[in-house]
Amino acid sequence: MEVIMYPKYQSICYHPSILPRHRGASSINWTLIEGDTTCGLSIFWADDGLDTGPILLQKSFPATIDDTVDTLYNKYLYPEGIKALAESVNMVANGTAPRIQQTEEGATYDPALFKPETHQIDWSKGGIALHNFIRGLDSSPGATTFIKPQTKEGIVEGSEADVEVKFFGSSLWQAEYETEGDQLVIPGLDTPAVIHEAGLLITANDGVKLNVQRLKINGKMINAQNFFKANESKVSLELTSEEKQFVEGARDIWKAILRIDIEDDTDFFASGAGSMDVVRLIEEVKDLAQIELQNEDIYMNTTFEEFCQIAVLKSRGGSDVKDIVYDGVEMEVNKMKIKFPTQLFINGEFVDSDSGKLLTIVNPSDESVICKVQSASVSDVDKAVKAAKVAFEEGEWSKISARERGQLLFKLADLMEQHKEELATIESIDSGAVYTLALKTHIGMSIETWRYFAGWCDKIQGATIPVNHARPNRNLTLTKREPIGVCALITPWNYPLMMLSWKMAACLAAGNTVVMKPAAVCPLTALKFAELCARAGIPRGVVNILPGSGALCGQALADHPLVRKLGFTGSTEIGQTIMKSCAVSNMKKVSLELGGKSPLIIFEDCDLDKAVRNGMAAVFFNKGENCIAAGRLFVEERIHDEFVRRVVAETKKMAIGDPLHRGTSHGPQNHKAHMDKLIEFCERGVKEGATLVYGGGRVDCKGFYFTPTVFTDVQDDMYIAKEESFGPIMIISKFSSKNIDDVIRRANATEYGLASGVFTRDVSRALAAAERVDAGTVFINTYNKTDVAAPFGGFKQSGFGKDLGQEALNEYLKTKCITIEY
């Protein structure tokens, strides 16, 4: 009291209540527990009683049914309290500070909520009172109860020890529908609580429902929906060098606060930290790395390792730390250890299919079974689409900025780069891709695609448009480019990861969420990609991967009413079916990259060595499993025989064999059904009278190896001249450069229009041919030269819409026009 009374002007104190109501150390808690609709603060003159001195200044503010201790402090009690103290000091200095004696009318003295018995929940109370009690203890120490140990199947019989559970993040439940989930028995409640995707739903004995978001189980904070998963391990983030430096800086901050050496499993609160230490930690991390954390982030991630993980995720633009485990396969192959999931990826979790059906994945190089993968059902599609919708409309993805979205995609690309050898190995054993080609193209171009579109995220812009004014007023018209919503992607088996990346990178850069179905015969890199998405911090529900059959899973995506865009790469026949389904279901936007029979015209004045090399690559690249492969070569008659001789000589030199061997240039076809189809294609060509110069059959060894094949004397009306083989089969026809119009007519005499090529030294002839050939891509004196910045897509029955380049973003955006009168 000597200290308090000594200064010339005496001491003034701040108190977070409207005195005399809620005197005591836990006043703000009791404001919520009592369900007050008004909160406030008081500045009073210190005396020898607790919070009973004369009032100098008071302020009051509204308190809603959803407020917590943190929200009241953040909105009012802290910022307005600072202002009130400054105002009070000025009043004291100016001699105008009042001394209003407190009345005892309406006065309350509430007990401090420090002792464990004061935290106990009385489940006999009504739902509103329970909600108020839980939110009143929300930051610390938490409303507490004890339950019997239990699993999804029920209470563990014979167990004597009780489990301490603390409840955080309560809200009154407004939903009209019944919530489904696993039951949790809480003593004192007539109805078991329900663990569901949004938390723990409690029905009070008076029928009022409240939802709890977080639980602390025996000192460990978890999301309530993960109660039965509390012992599952979290995915660990792979850190960049800058992020590793942040971790060491954070370790120093923890050490300064706790005054102990910091290990990864050091627990912040178990080591003695209190609520003020939480504030200090948040502020010091903001100074260290400009990372904005909330109190909840600390309470939910109490060990140093968990804290660093949430901080890194925040810096990447996300904050959705998701427990993730999976059933997978570990193998030693290609002189490395590889690991990949075999389950569906829905809402950030690897899960089994509802149907229990499995896909058998075969290694095309030796016909051995690699593993079995879960096959998605119609109900799995529905779950994934709904998860994507929630992520788009309500999740973290909907809240972060375009620049933060780009940062996440860059992180994903970096992670793919770190795992490129593993991804290339998985792609090789799964699809038969030659490892060196997979490393450069299948995986390399995938990474380039993600980096390219990550850079586009914050450059998607609208425009202002001059329109006629509504005189005497004026008008401003502007456009906004907005994401479409939930998008479905269906990709083929020839470039599993690259086709995923070509479509999904543009889709996510535009701000959409995705449900993706990889080809049933080779889904493994797509599933590994899903794991990397989780490790990169992509929020749950944004990316969903569903291996499954096209007839079931693919059709369900085309039919689903919540899917607003579908992107497909595959055959023209399936594309026609998909387009019909998209129209009938909900008129969803669709882009189709379909079949091809790309013409390659080789004039007599070409660089013949280059024409041979590029002509072979145009046909045999990736075993001919290439949508833009040259389906038919038109070779000028004066160089025809020499061209064929050189091609056959070079083809005989091609090293066919194990795709993992570094010297292999030609691996197995993707699967047996496709190889059988190629054999039939060649047999039909021979029957029609074409000359089989080389190849035409299966290599005599284990695996789906097909000999690179060359046909000549192919007439325009032959089946092999008109239909796509999608394999390593070169179809050669003669033409005369005396009649260029005729060869252009023959090149265009197909319903396909995906790609084309011209080889000539005559620039005028090259450009004239390029102008007249009806194809989405024209290569001149090169072939297969695709780039992430160049738009890719076909005409006619090769489909419509573009992958890659700026134009690809248009497939996943909608334009909104806004007119303002002023």
Side-chain angles (χ1 to χ4, degrees):
M1 292 309 299
E2 288 180 4
V3 172
I4 290 174
M5 300 302 294
Y6 178 78
K8 178 180 178 181
Y9 297 114
Q10 299 184 27
S11 298
I12 58 175
C13 295
Y14 165 92
H15 191 76
S17 74
I18 307 172
L19 293 172
R21 183 162 172 78
H22 299 312
R23 292 169 174 166
S26 302
S27 58
I28 184 58
N29 305 85
W30 284 102
T31 298
L32 297 169
I33 292 171
E34 295 293 329
D36 293 359
T37 57
T38 302
C39 68
L41 59 92
S42 301
I43 310 297
F44 68 98
W45 298 91
D47 65 356
D48 58 353
L50 185 60
D51 309 335
T52 57
I55 300 297
L56 191 160
L57 179 69
Q58 286 187 323
K59 290 182 179 293
S60 61
F61 314 99
T64 71
I65 194 67
D66 295 319
D67 272 319
T68 64
V69 172
D70 283 348
T71 62
L72 291 183
Y73 264 110
N74 290 336
K75 287 191 294 186
Y76 310 122
L77 301 182
Y78 180 75
E80 295 299 327
I82 295 294
K83 295 177 185 177
L85 275 171
E87 183 181 348
S88 298
V89 168
N90 287 333
M91 292 169 68
V92 171
N94 295 332
T96 58
R99 293 172 177 265
I100 305 169
Q101 295 299 317
Q102 290 192 40
T103 175
E104 291 303 308
E105 183 179 349
T108 60
Y109 183 81
D110 303 311
L113 297 171
F114 299 147
K115 297 180 179 180
E117 57 267 23
T118 63
H119 314 158
Q120 299 300 310
I121 301 173
D122 181 358
W123 293 108
S124 66
K125 291 186 176 181
I128 299 294
L130 291 175
H131 166 65
N132 288 339
F133 188 73
I134 293 171
R135 70 191 180 110
L137 299 172
D138 197 74
S139 287
S140 179
T144 308
T145 197
F146 290 87
I147 65 173
K148 291 293 183 184
Q150 48 197 289
T151 65
K152 291 181 180 181
E153 286 68 42
I155 294 174
V156 178
E157 297 298 336
S159 177
E160 296 182 0
D162 286 340
V163 178
E164 182 187 67
V165 182
K166 292 179 178 287
F167 295 76
F168 301 89
S170 174
S171 59
L172 293 176
W173 187 251
Q174 304 295 332
E176 298 178 358
Y177 56 88
E178 288 296 321
T179 300
E180 297 180 355
D182 300 310
Q183 292 189 342
L184 183 69
V185 177
I186 299 177
L189 285 179
D190 297 340
T191 305
V194 177
I195 296 170
H196 63 118
E197 62 181 13
L200 177 69
L201 185 63
I202 295 169
T203 303
N205 293 342
D206 64 353
V208 174
K209 297 178 185 291
L210 53 145
N211 193 61
V212 173
Q213 293 182 325
R214 300 177 301 282
L215 302 173
K216 184 179 279 189
I217 312 295
N218 288 332
K220 176 68 175 178
M221 187 79 82
I222 62 169
N223 288 318
Q225 62 264 34
N226 294 330
F227 178 84
F228 290 124
K229 306 175 186 175
N231 294 321
E232 293 182 352
S233 60
K234 285 186 176 181
V235 64
S236 59
L237 295 176
E238 300 200 20
L239 305 181
T240 64
S241 57
E242 293 83 1
E243 290 166 347
K244 289 176 181 176
Q245 290 178 4
F246 162 76
V247 169
E248 293 313 305
R251 196 183 301 274
D252 291 338
I253 294 172
W254 276 51
K255 187 174 182 178
I257 293 174
L258 299 176
R259 297 183 178 85
I260 60 173
D261 291 334
I262 306 300
E263 305 295 337
D264 285 351
D265 60 354
T266 299
D267 188 284
F268 194 65
F269 298 104
S271 300
S275 58
M276 288 305 299
D277 296 313
V278 172
V279 176
R280 175 181 171 183
L281 178 58
I282 289 172
E283 292 302 315
E284 292 206 33
V285 168
K286 186 190 299 183
D287 291 340
L288 174 68
Q290 290 76 54
I291 299 173
E292 295 280 352
L293 297 175
Q294 303 298 322
N295 290 6
E296 179 184 321
D297 296 322
I298 314 302
Y299 289 118
M300 285 292 292
N301 301 275
T302 59
T303 69
F304 181 71
E305 183 178 30
E306 293 169 336
F307 165 80
C308 290
Q309 181 160 276
I310 187 64
V312 168
L313 280 171
K314 286 271 188 175
S315 73
R316 293 180 181 185
S319 63
D320 204 3
V321 181
K322 182 74 175 88
D323 291 344
I324 180 167
V325 293
Y326 62 77
D327 294 335
V329 171
E330 294 186 57
M331 302 173 63
E332 276 209 44
V333 61
N334 199 23
K335 299 179 182 179
M336 69 180 76
K337 290 183 179 180
I338 63 173
K339 182 180 180 182
F340 49 85
T342 57
Q343 296 170 283
L344 315 179
F345 188 66
I346 300 176
N347 200 28
E349 288 185 294
F350 286 100
V351 296
D352 290 342
S353 167
D354 282 348
S355 68
K357 292 184 178 179
L358 300 173
L359 301 170
T360 300
I361 308 304
V362 175
N363 186 333
S365 69
D366 60 10
E367 303 177 54
S368 64
V369 174
I370 301 172
C371 61
K372 292 185 182 293
V373 169
Q374 296 288 325
S375 181
S377 66
V378 173
S379 62
D380 293 318
V381 170
D382 187 59
K383 288 179 186 176
V385 170
K386 287 178 178 176
K389 187 173 187 292
V390 171
F392 178 75
E393 295 178 349
E394 304 170 21
E396 187 72 23
W397 196 244
S398 68
K399 300 179 178 68
I400 64 176
S401 69
R403 191 157 298 165
E404 290 171 322
R405 189 163 66 243
Q407 290 170 353
L408 277 176
L409 299 190
F410 275 122
K411 295 289 183 184
L412 176 58
D414 291 343
L415 203 50
M416 293 170 71
E417 181 82 41
Q418 294 170 32
H419 287 264
K420 64 182 179 182
E421 289 86 2
E422 184 181 16
L423 287 166
T425 301
I426 296 171
E427 191 104 324
S428 187
I429 65 171
D430 195 22
S431 73
V434 172
Y435 174 73
T436 51
L437 176 64
L439 204 57
K440 178 181 182 295
T441 301
H442 290 235
I443 312 305
M445 194 173 187
S446 297
I447 295 168
E448 290 180 10
T449 302
W450 284 101
R451 287 186 174 141
Y452 175 80
F453 283 108
W456 265 112
C457 287
D458 60 355
K459 301 169 187 68
I460 299 171
Q461 303 168 348
T464 55
I465 303 170
V467 297
N468 287 336
H469 295 306
R471 297 177 181 175
N473 294 332
R474 300 174 68 81
N475 293 108
L476 170 65
T477 295
L478 55 93
T479 59
K480 288 183 64 182
R481 309 299 309 283
E482 297 181 346
I484 294 171
V486 179
C487 297
L489 304 177
I490 301 174
T491 56
W493 41 259
N494 57 329
Y495 295 99
L497 187 63
M498 196 171 79
M499 291 295 97
L500 176 155
S501 300
W502 280 21
K503 296 184 186 301
M504 194 184 295
C507 182
L508 295 188
N512 301 285
T513 55
V514 176
V515 182
M516 181 262 178
K517 190 200 88 65
V521 291
C522 49
L524 299 184
T525 42
L527 292 173
K528 185 65 180 181
F529 171 82
E531 179 191 338
L532 297 183
C533 284
R535 293 188 182 280
I538 302 294
R540 72 186 73 187
V542 173
V543 174
N544 303 271
I545 307 291
L546 301 181
S549 72
L552 192 69
C553 180
Q555 189 63 50
L557 286 170
D559 291 338
H560 204 291
L562 297 181
V563 173
R564 293 298 173 187
K565 161 69 199 282
L566 191 146
F568 172 77
T569 294
S571 71
T572 297
E573 293 75 19
I574 300 300
Q576 290 170 331
T577 300
I578 284 176
M579 192 170 177
K580 290 176 186 175
S581 298
C582 289
V584 171
S585 58
N586 63 344
M587 289 293 289
K588 57 175 62 71
K589 188 177 181 180
V590 62
S591 56
L592 303 171
E593 198 258 280
L594 307 175
K597 190 67 175 175
S598 301
L600 174 55
I601 304 172
I602 301 175
F603 288 95
E604 76 285 356
D605 66 339
C606 69
D607 179 336
L608 191 57
D609 288 338
K610 186 175 184 181
V612 169
R613 289 195 309 272
N614 281 266
M616 291 178 64
V619 178
F620 300 144
F621 187 81
N622 198 48
K623 312 159 295 176
E625 296 169 355
N626 192 21
C627 54
I628 59 171
R632 190 176 181 194
L633 276 63
F634 295 93
V635 180
E636 211 280 333
E637 57 189 8
R638 282 170 284 181
I639 63 169
H640 173 272
D641 293 348
E642 178 63 11
F643 180 86
V644 172
R645 186 189 67 77
R646 292 195 190 189
V647 163
V648 172
E650 293 301 316
T651 301
K652 289 178 179 179
K653 298 176 185 177
M654 292 176 65
I656 303 173
D658 182 358
L660 293 175
H661 193 281
R662 301 308 189 263
T664 298
S665 59
H666 189 84
Q669 304 308 137
N670 186 275
H671 51 281
K672 185 177 185 301
H674 180 55
M675 183 187 66
D676 292 342
K677 186 178 177 181
L678 295 178
I679 294 171
E680 292 176 9
F681 187 92
C682 291
E683 290 173 348
R684 187 159 180 176
V686 171
K687 286 179 182 178
E688 288 185 321
T691 301
L692 177 61
V693 179
Y694 185 76
R698 181 175 184 173
V699 178
D700 187 17
C701 67
K702 195 78 169 176
F704 307 135
Y705 294 95
F706 185 85
T707 306
T709 298
V710 179
F711 274 103
T712 61
D713 302 318
V714 179
Q715 303 305 309
D716 293 356
D717 60 348
M718 290 181 180
Y719 176 84
I720 64 172
K722 296 185 292 185
E723 297 301 323
E724 180 180 28
S725 70
F726 210 65
I729 302 174
M730 184 178 288
I731 309 296
I732 303 176
S733 300
K734 294 179 182 178
F735 79 95
S736 171
S737 59
K738 295 176 182 178
N739 192 349
I740 295 178
D741 290 341
D742 186 59
V743 75
I744 296 296
R745 177 193 61 77
R746 294 170 69 193
N748 286 334
T750 172
E751 275 299 299
Y752 299 112
L754 189 56
S756 60
V758 178
F759 274 81
T760 178
R761 285 190 171 96
D762 187 331
V763 175
S764 297
R765 184 157 62 178
L767 293 177
E771 185 176 296
R772 296 173 63 189
V773 171
D774 197 13
T777 297
V778 181
F779 300 109
I780 298 178
N781 294 329
T782 186
Y783 208 89
N784 286 327
K785 183 62 179 177
T786 55
D787 188 89
V788 295
F792 181 94
F795 303 155
K796 299 185 288 188
Q797 290 195 41
S798 287
F800 51 85
K802 296 294 183 183
D803 291 324
L804 303 181
Q806 182 179 358
E807 286 196 38
L809 292 167
N810 297 331
E811 306 300 327
Y812 301 98
L813 291 165
K814 57 189 180 186
T815 301
K816 180 179 288 182
C817 182
I818 302 170
T819 297
I820 306 164
E821 188 165 298
Y822 60 98

